[in-house]
Amino acid sequence: MIYGVDFTRFRILREAINMSQARLADLAGISQGKVSTIEAGKANPEVATLNAICAALDAELILVPRRIGGDVRRLVDRHLNRHVSSAEPVMSVRDEVFIPDGDD
C-alpha cells in the first residue's frame, strides 16, 4: 500500500454513486478482483490504474497536506451526504490552503 493513501475512499465514492465493482472495473479497464483488492487496501496499484479508477468515478486524485486531511475528508463526506458526526466543526479548507500563516 502507498503510505498514507486510504484506498477505502474509492469504495465510499463508488457506493455513493451506486456503482458496482464490476461496472467500475469495466470502465477502468481492470478486473473486478483488482478493484476489490485495491478497495480493501491490499494492493499497491500503479498510478495509471489509480487514474483510470478516478476517471471511471468522475473523480480526481489530489494531494492534500496532512494537517488539513481530516477537514477535506469531512467536506467530501458531507458532499456525498454521508452524515458523519465530527468532534469539531469543519474549518475552511480554502483558508487553510490559500492563506499563509506562520506554519506554512
Side-chain angles (χ1 to χ4, degrees):
M1 182 171 113
I2 299 173
Y3 178 75
V5 178
D6 182 5
F7 292 120
T8 62
R9 306 303 287 184
F10 285 122
R11 179 187 54 80
I12 291 167
L13 180 56
R14 178 182 57 76
E15 289 176 349
I17 61 174
N18 296 315
M19 183 183 291
S20 69
Q21 281 186 346
R23 179 70 177 145
L24 175 57
D26 184 49
L27 291 171
I30 59 177
S31 71
Q32 184 272 328
K34 184 148 190 137
V35 170
S36 177
T37 304
I38 291 169
E39 287 183 351
K42 297 179 181 176
N44 191 12
E46 295 181 0
V47 173
T49 302
L50 295 175
N51 283 332
I53 291 171
C54 287
L57 293 171
D58 192 27
E60 190 171 345
L61 189 62
I62 61 171
L63 298 174
V64 175
R66 283 188 186 138
R67 68 186 176 97
I68 64 168
D71 294 336
V72 172
R73 278 189 290 279
R74 284 188 290 278
L75 182 68
V76 170
D77 284 341
R78 273 198 344 220
H79 174 74
L80 296 175
N81 295 318
R82 295 183 72 240
H83 302 286
V84 179
S85 63
S86 89
E88 59 188 56
V90 176
M91 303 298 289
S92 170
V93 173
R94 179 190 55 80
D95 291 345
E96 282 293 322
V97 174
F98 296 111
I99 299 175
D101 57 21
D103 296 333
D104 293 329

